[in-house]
Amino acid sequence: MALVIKFSSRLLWVRVAALLFSCVAFSVAAYGASPSGSTGDWCMFCWIFSFAGTLVVLLVELFSLQARVPVSWANFPVTFACYAALLCLSASVIFPLGFLKGQRAHGELRDHRIAATIFSCLATVAYLGEVSLTRAQPGEVAGYMATAPGLLKVCETFVACVIFVFASEPVAYDRYPALKWCMAVYCVCFLLSAAVVVLCVGECTGCLPFPFAKFLSAYTVLAVAMYLTATIIWPVFQFDSRYGGQARRPSYCAGPVTCPWDKLVAVAVLTALNLLIYVADLSYSARLVFVSA
């Protein structure tokens, strides 16, 4: 009993810290950092979404309303914490690149932007701490999303969303059918991973007409094979001169500003990263035995 109380107390304080850090990040940014454009909107969304979700989790647990919420409480908090960690991490990288690097901000404006970045990093650490405290330990009975494969599903969907952004602004997949295949790979695998997350959080895995464990195994094998093809095809058709690509950063991309060629490189790197995540997912899923709480 003492261990449970100690664990719950640690988890409570980590969540409170995440709540405060994300609140300070968007408050400071809104007050004096002048976030503008799509970059500023994205960072503000990351902090506000993380703050609002954490507040809901804290209120539900403080008032013992877990049985009344229409989701699996064994899966929802850890799923949200993982998404919040990734969102705050992206804001911690994007915000200083967009509003500090190469900018001529001075005085209070620069101080507010530095403070928002620092608190965003602290929020990321707090959410990672929450994920560490709530994830399933070896041999422990827990919801699927608290296991390593469940958390990897969150990472798979998040990386796919980032790929969509880079590949669509400007559109970089309409020149060859092979590139359209790559986009199809990203879309299909994202939808299947997202479906797994929704089914687990919504406690709907028993509604499938086939065993959920077999679906996970078959889908993960398929995703690895599809991402392997995309990892090979995307750089070949984007950077090989035979297909109108450029292997080196073009001269018009000089400077710190992100250009279309940089986004192509980012998609190639993220595709390889998601392939590694799916391989790890397949490795874990092949030997994991879990019980849905």
Side-chain angles (χ1 to χ4, degrees):
M1 180 63 70
L3 290 176
V4 174
I5 294 174
K6 181 179 179 181
F7 172 79
S8 300
S9 177
R10 289 173 58 194
L11 183 57
L12 173 63
W13 284 114
V14 168
R15 283 175 175 159
V16 170
L19 183 77
L20 293 176
F21 292 149
S22 57
C23 179
V24 173
F26 78 76
S27 298
V28 170
Y31 175 75
S34 299
S36 58
S38 58
T39 299
D41 293 340
W42 169 254
C43 294
M44 291 295 289
F45 166 77
C46 292
W47 298 324
I48 294 174
F49 176 83
S50 301
F51 167 80
T54 304
L55 181 61
V56 170
V57 171
L58 283 172
L59 291 176
V60 169
E61 296 209 341
L62 287 175
F63 291 100
S64 301
L65 301 175
Q66 295 91 328
R68 298 187 179 184
V69 293
V71 296
S72 168
W73 208 251
N75 290 302
F76 177 77
V78 66
T79 303
F80 172 79
C82 192
Y83 274 120
L86 294 171
L87 287 170
C88 289
L89 176 62
S90 69
S92 300
V93 175
I94 293 173
F95 191 80
L97 289 177
F99 298 102
L100 284 175
K101 184 179 180 181
Q103 298 290 324
R104 296 180 178 179
H106 300 285
E108 290 188 1
L109 177 61
R110 181 177 179 83
D111 293 341
H112 280 90
R113 290 178 175 179
I114 293 174
T117 302
I118 292 173
F119 279 99
S120 180
C121 294
L122 291 174
T124 303
V125 173
Y127 281 116
L128 290 174
E130 181 180 348
V131 172
S132 178
L133 289 174
T134 53
R135 70 182 297 270
Q137 301 301 318
E140 180 183 357
V141 177
Y144 177 76
M145 296 307 299
T147 64
L151 296 174
L152 289 173
K153 295 288 189 303
V154 173
C155 296
E156 292 159 7
T157 57
F158 185 83
V159 172
C161 288
V162 179
I163 290 175
F164 293 149
V165 173
F166 284 136
S168 302
E169 296 181 3
V171 175
Y173 53 86
D174 58 348
R175 290 187 300 154
Y176 299 100
L179 295 176
K180 294 180 180 178
W181 161 254
C182 292
M183 182 55 62
V185 169
Y186 306 143
C187 292
V188 170
C189 293
F190 167 78
L191 290 174
L192 290 174
S193 293
V196 171
V197 174
V198 171
L199 287 171
C200 291
V201 173
E203 293 188 308
C204 300
T205 56
C207 300
L208 296 175
F210 39 78
F212 185 59
K214 291 185 178 180
F215 166 72
L216 289 175
S217 300
Y219 144 65
T220 310
V221 171
L222 175 65
V224 168
M226 293 178 70
Y227 256 93
L228 180 60
T229 63
T231 302
I232 297 172
I233 291 173
W234 183 270
V236 169
F237 281 84
Q238 294 290 9
F239 304 119
D240 195 321
S241 58
R242 292 176 297 176
Y243 302 101
Q246 292 180 284
R248 295 184 178 181
R249 197 170 191 253
S251 57
Y252 64 81
C253 286
V257 179
T258 302
C259 70
W261 189 87
D262 297 330
K263 294 182 178 180
L264 299 179
V265 174
V267 171
V269 172
L270 291 171
T271 301
L273 174 62
N274 232 8
L275 172 62
L276 295 177
I277 295 174
Y278 276 107
V279 170
D281 188 358
L282 179 61
S283 175
Y284 275 111
S285 298
R287 58 188 177 85
L288 179 67
V289 176
F290 68 91
V291 178
S292 296

